[in-house]
Amino acid sequence: MARSRHADDILNINVGGKKYTVRRTDMLADPRSKLAEWFKPGTLKPIATDKGGNYYLDRDAKTFRHILAYLRLKKEKFVPSLALPSKPDDLAN
């Protein structure tokens, strides 16, 4: 499925069965990340989609929320480590 990619897009992403609605700029906040590589405008790398047309990432949804919080804080120039849970076990599967 071909989609246009603009930096200000709103994306619907299915991560391990949980749906997230995010701004593309959030996904691009760390330009060295795999997420930035996948979602940057102009990339030709295909991203899988689910039956509803949402981007699909076969990853742990519970962990992804922390990654998303990190990216949002980084984008807003806050200390990204604030995105980490207070209990490291919260990152465990």
Side-chain angles (χ1 to χ4, degrees):
M1 169 186 259
R3 293 183 179 198
S4 63
R5 296 177 185 210
H6 302 284
D8 60 349
D9 287 346
I10 301 295
L11 307 174
N12 293 307
I13 303 174
N14 176 346
V15 181
K18 176 151 175 60
K19 303 241 174 79
Y20 291 89
T21 300
V22 302
R23 292 186 182 280
R24 186 180 302 274
T25 53
D26 294 338
M27 304 305 277
L28 303 176
D30 187 341
R32 299 168 298 157
S33 73
K34 187 59 89 172
L35 291 170
E37 180 183 327
W38 291 338
F39 288 99
K40 70 182 173 186
T43 189
L44 299 177
K45 295 182 184 262
I47 302 170
T49 56
D50 64 14
K51 291 179 183 179
N54 303 297
Y55 290 112
Y56 178 75
L57 301 178
D58 187 16
R59 299 290 186 261
D60 180 59
K62 186 176 178 182
T63 302
F64 185 76
R65 69 184 173 140
H66 298 293
I67 294 168
L68 187 55
Y70 163 84
L71 292 171
R72 288 174 171 158
L73 287 170
K74 185 173 177 74
K75 182 180 85 170
E76 299 297 326
K77 309 289 190 228
F78 287 103
V79 179
S81 61
L82 294 173
L84 293 173
S86 59
K87 299 176 189 173
D89 290 342
D90 288 347
L91 289 174
N93 289 331

